[in-house]
Amino acid sequence: MSNHWRRRGLIILGLLVAYLLRVYKLGEQNIWWDEGLSVLAARKSFVGITLWTAADVHPPLYFWLLWGWQRLAGETEFALRYITVIASMLTVALLYPWGRRLARPAVGIGALWLLALSRFHIWWSQEMRMYILAGLCSLLSLYFVTRLATGRTERRSWLGWLLTTTGALYTIYSSIVLVIIENLFMLLVGWRRRDRWSFWRRWLGWQLGVAALMLPWLALALPRMRSWSVVQAPASLSFVLQLNAVLLSLGISTNIGRYLLPSLALLVGLLGGLCLLLRKENNSEAKIALGEKLFLLLASVLTPPLLIWLLTQPRSFFYTPRVEARYLLPFAPAFYLLLAWAVIGWLSAPRLKWIGYLLSGSLLFLAGWTLPQHYQPRYFRDEYSTLTKLIWTYAEPDDVVVLVSGNRYPLFLTYYERRPAPANRPPVFLMPNPPGEGELNAAYVAELLHELQTEHQRIWLVQVERDLQDPTGLTVAWLSAHYARPFSYDFGYNNLSLFAPTAGEPAVPNLNLRPQHTLSAKLAPGVELLGYDLLTSEFRAGDVVRLGLYLHVEEAATLTVAQVGADGRAVAEERLPLAPHEGIMRRQVSVGITP
């Protein structure tokens, strides 16, 4: 009884730690490019998102789930990423029964804790992408195949394997490696069975069931799939294996040569523990069964990097990606199960128990060392919030937004169209490249902008990573020659400019008067502060604080905005001359934060 409750307590505590580490600072990071694509996809209709994924390099299961989740939970960074946390927590929890079935409860608990503390797994548990879901489906598939191999061949085990394997393939195409690993394992296991041929026939029949479930999707997707490749030197197999080792042991993907030594030390401890387990098993049948289980885990760890290396080699078929850390994530739980088993192996040897304690202490130390490095850079920056707020605030009925961004358009549209975006916001014209993917040229830009000029009074120009699509500034040059430029603001590599028929300061339409914080403060005779925007709350050295002030000015005045240090002295000041103005004006104040 005491062992039972001790196990239960360790499992619950491990799950609680895993949950806290995965929700900590979950929403405190800006949407990045891949996540932006996921957001834009989730805004489509169900049919639209299905057709979009059919032309993409990923199957639709994650996007279908995100489509429903977004309508239920909303579009904040925290809400959209939380669906990944759910899949992550299920993965951590389900590692225990898999470890218990393969080995014993202590191994399952150890693996659960290792995955709970894994920086690599936490990292992708906080991203709005499909790799954690693929890992969950793969783990379940491996769990069911383990049940089938150990004699639990009831119908529900076969059905569980069918559904979870299909789920993995509907999440990431590269999950086909799962089928390769499991076929090798079942071939090995079946060879010792007396009914091997009927067992293999049944196994083949259920695989045909997976193929049948995949067939409708492939019939839809194959004619629509595009083929493209990343232009880069092909990665070496040695590099991919080193990356896999450092990612699994430390969760670090940059400067991997610097972290190779501790990773290799852990791998030596792992292999030593596994060899010890095999040596301790005296019964030949039990030793063979143990070898089969270890083969399944080792194949799950080593086959994916081999497949990733092959996929990144130059070829003309389908999609040639660059080597990315996330591709190695789905089979990471198998590594932590192996590592936990090896630690238990050392701890079970009376004379070598100290190695198990040393290995356990090293794992805790490495988790404590690497996890703070993961969280330190996570905070929400004002990259697009103020930019979109400016457009919403000053927008008039005949305006249009010209977006010059190349393939970075999801970064802007994620925030510009996020609910509750005003319904009267200007439409966005996404600047296309000339037919044939050629570069922008002056004649092409002039033709497009002249057409917009005939339909719209004012043009907002949004440049995202401004040198990406229009490095020579053809769009700015044409607009500057045909319009006045009432204001222009830089946001790091991005820029927002308003081009209008006159250079006079635009008023804020009463319809758009939505300060984030409302006030009614008399600053001086004839000058009233009606509210302000401060759209982010954490700033670090090198950041810019962007403060938007809503003012009603009836008499000329000068407004001074000061950044005041802890000692009460002004660190920086900005003086804003105010002229009498009809209606509401909005003043943008930018203050740089110094060390």
Side-chain angles (χ1 to χ4, degrees), residues 180-460:
I180 297 171
I181 293 166
E182 291 176 340
N183 269 290
L184 292 173
F185 176 64
M186 294 297 261
L187 184 65
L188 198 61
V189 168
W191 195 260
R192 292 193 300 118
R193 297 173 62 113
R194 292 182 179 179
D195 62 340
R196 66 174 70 101
W197 294 110
S198 62
F199 177 73
W200 285 338
R201 278 195 301 271
R202 195 174 184 189
W203 169 243
L204 180 60
W206 283 94
Q207 289 186 84
L208 292 175
V210 172
L213 290 175
M214 286 296 298
L215 198 58
W217 172 251
L218 293 176
L220 175 69
L222 285 175
R224 292 172 170 81
M225 284 182 185
R226 292 170 293 165
S227 174
W228 68 88
S229 301
V230 174
V231 179
Q232 64 168 8
S236 67
L237 180 58
S238 171
F239 168 77
V240 178
L241 290 174
Q242 289 177 37
L243 176 64
N244 194 41
V246 175
L247 279 170
L248 292 174
S249 55
L250 300 176
I252 295 172
S253 62
T254 56
N255 301 314
I256 58 174
R258 190 183 302 171
Y259 304 100
L260 201 54
L261 190 59
S263 300
L264 292 177
L266 278 183
L267 292 179
V268 169
L270 185 153
L271 293 174
L274 298 183
C275 291
L276 196 63
L277 286 169
L278 286 168
R279 282 189 62 188
K280 282 177 60 179
E281 195 60 70
N282 296 320
N283 184 287
S284 59
E285 283 291 318
K287 183 173 287 192
I288 292 172
L290 175 61
E292 291 169 349
K293 295 173 183 178
L294 294 178
F295 171 82
L296 176 64
L297 294 176
L298 286 168
S300 299
V301 172
L302 296 175
T303 309
L306 178 61
L307 177 68
I308 297 305
W309 172 72
L310 288 171
L311 287 175
T312 55
Q313 299 308 297
R315 64 190 190 286
S316 59
F317 175 70
F318 193 39
Y319 172 52
T320 305
R322 62 168 57 91
V323 175
E324 297 281 3
R326 56 185 181 266
Y327 301 148
L328 298 165
L329 179 75
F331 291 90
F335 171 80
Y336 300 111
L337 188 48
L338 267 177
L339 190 54
W341 209 344
V343 170
I344 297 298
W346 287 114
L347 291 173
S348 302
R351 295 183 179 180
L352 299 173
K353 189 174 291 189
W354 63 273
I355 298 179
Y357 288 125
L358 179 63
L359 194 54
S360 302
S362 300
L363 290 168
L364 288 173
F365 170 78
L366 290 173
W369 174 46
T370 59
L371 277 176
Q373 299 173 32
H374 165 69
Y375 294 113
Q376 196 278 332
R378 290 186 76 90
Y379 72 103
F380 192 81
R381 297 166 174 83
D382 185 3
E383 295 177 347
Y384 297 97
S385 301
T386 296
L387 190 154
T388 57
K389 180 71 172 179
L390 279 166
I391 301 174
W392 293 349
T393 301
Y394 285 103
E396 293 183 356
D398 289 332
D399 290 357
V400 67
V401 175
V402 174
L403 178 58
V404 179
S405 61
N407 64 359
R408 294 295 186 264
Y409 63 91
L411 298 174
F412 170 73
L413 293 178
T414 293
Y415 293 96
Y416 185 72
E417 297 177 350
R418 172 181 287 180
R419 293 177 293 175
N424 63 327
R425 65 188 182 276
V428 176
F429 175 77
L430 186 61
M431 177 67 75
N433 283 330
E437 298 294 325
E439 295 182 357
L440 292 179
N441 57 72
Y444 182 74
V445 168
E447 179 186 351
L448 294 176
L449 295 179
H450 176 70
E451 186 175 342
L452 290 175
Q453 185 185 35
T454 61
E455 299 172 0
H456 301 279
Q457 280 285 103
R458 305 189 307 178
I459 293 179
W460 295 87

Side-chain angles (χ1 to χ4, degrees), residues 492-503:
Y493 294 110
N494 308 327
N495 176 268
L496 171 67
S497 296
L498 173 62
F499 291 92
T502 61

